[in-house]
Amino acid sequence: MRDVYDFVKFFIKNGADSIPNTYDGNMKLQKLLVFSNLVNLVQFDELLFDDEVLAFKNGCVVEKVRLRYKNNYYGLKQDSDEFEPDFTENEYKVLNIVLEIFGNATARELSEINHTFNFWCDAYQKGTDVSGYHDKSKSVVNFNAQSDDIEKMREVLDAHQQSINDTSASEVINGVTYYYDGIQLTDEIIDQLEHFSLAAEDDVYSVYLDDGRLVIC
């Protein structure tokens, strides 16, 4: 099994930490790693990496990665820039899925998603005493402990695959999304859609041609 740093360097090399060398950049990187582990568990019945993951207030964290990112970002960035990945097909599949589903989310959004999983909640509670003191050494995450979490991620992956299988094309104009299938969006049609969008009451419409006439519904 690979060291987690191989996946760290992949994400950083691809700019997935979004706001480099910041608290938020670090937090987003942590969540991408955690979701990669869970996605791999769903897809291939094993974790992507076995480095220890801890439950912090803002979600799950690979502590050794968090500290290196925080204390030596530029060294880590250089290593990432020079990194030449030799991942397996399955590893690439998992990493690309994670980027497609979670790559555009903010660190805060990913933290909130992380909080919906029981593996974080259980580990965080185990490390927090009645006074509220949190002992991170007692907050080790067990991804396999909660079958509900695995099913939740499976549902996310199924929905993602369904969106890929949906062949309907779309175009966003002035904040309005138009779905169309089987027609070509000419400049004339785009002009009509742009004009329509200025007074549109809804955010989403379907578009088709009926005997050459544009129909928006």
Side-chain angles (χ1 to χ4, degrees):
M1 186 172 289
R2 294 180 188 270
D3 187 276
V4 67
Y5 276 119
D6 282 352
F7 307 115
V8 170
K9 288 181 282 190
F10 171 84
F11 282 132
I12 291 178
K13 187 169 186 174
N14 285 277
D17 51 337
S18 297
I19 311 175
N21 199 25
T22 65
Y23 178 90
D24 278 8
N26 199 347
M27 183 162 69
K28 179 170 181 178
L29 176 63
Q30 300 302 322
K31 304 308 171 281
L32 295 177
L33 292 172
V34 168
F35 293 149
S36 296
N37 232 6
L38 188 56
V39 169
N40 203 81
L41 183 60
V42 172
Q43 296 278 60
F44 305 112
D45 297 318
E46 63 177 358
L47 297 175
L48 188 63
F49 57 87
D50 59 6
D51 299 81
E52 189 174 74
V53 177
L54 304 178
F56 281 40
K57 181 178 181 180
N58 285 326
C60 297
V61 168
V62 184
E63 179 69 337
K64 72 176 188 180
V65 176
R66 184 187 74 86
L67 292 176
R68 186 177 178 195
Y69 189 103
K70 175 184 176 183
N71 298 324
N72 186 26
Y73 171 78
Y74 291 106
L76 181 57
K77 178 66 165 62
Q78 182 175 348
D79 289 346
S80 301
D81 291 341
E82 297 172 355
F83 179 58
E84 297 294 337
D86 60 344
F87 297 134
T88 66
E89 181 179 348
N90 286 346
E91 287 169 336
Y92 270 121
K93 179 179 180 180
V94 167
L95 295 172
N96 287 326
I97 286 174
V98 169
L99 286 179
E100 290 168 5
I101 297 177
F102 302 108
N104 291 324
T106 66
R108 179 56 55 189
E109 289 168 339
L110 294 181
S111 176
E112 291 174 355
I113 294 172
N114 194 171
H115 286 164
T116 68
F117 287 95
N118 292 321
F119 60 75
W120 167 80
C121 183
D122 288 353
Y124 188 74
Q125 288 179 350
K126 287 178 181 178
T128 306
D129 63 23
V130 292
S131 70
Y133 172 74
H134 180 243
D135 183 349
K136 64 184 181 183
S137 66
K138 297 180 180 179
S139 296
V140 179
V141 170
N142 183 353
F143 289 95
N144 290 286
Q146 295 289 341
S147 60
D148 288 350
D149 288 339
I150 296 175
E151 288 308 309
K152 181 183 295 185
M153 182 57 76
R154 194 184 308 278
E155 291 174 1
V156 171
L157 297 179
D158 289 344
H160 174 64
Q161 185 60 49
Q162 182 61 41
S163 69
I164 294 175
N165 295 337
D166 186 357
T167 58
S168 296
S170 65
E171 182 69 49
V172 179
I173 301 176
N174 292 328
V176 177
T177 301
Y178 298 99
Y179 286 96
Y180 62 95
D181 190 13
I183 68 172
Q184 181 179 358
L185 289 188
T186 64
D187 289 342
E188 180 182 356
I189 291 177
I190 290 176
D191 287 342
Q192 293 181 58
L193 296 178
E194 183 176 9
H195 178 74
F196 180 88
S197 69
L198 298 177
E201 296 181 355
D202 296 317
D203 295 329
V204 178
Y205 292 89
S206 295
V207 177
Y208 64 93
L209 292 177
D210 184 7
D211 291 332
R213 183 176 64 88
L214 183 67
V215 178
I216 305 172
C217 60

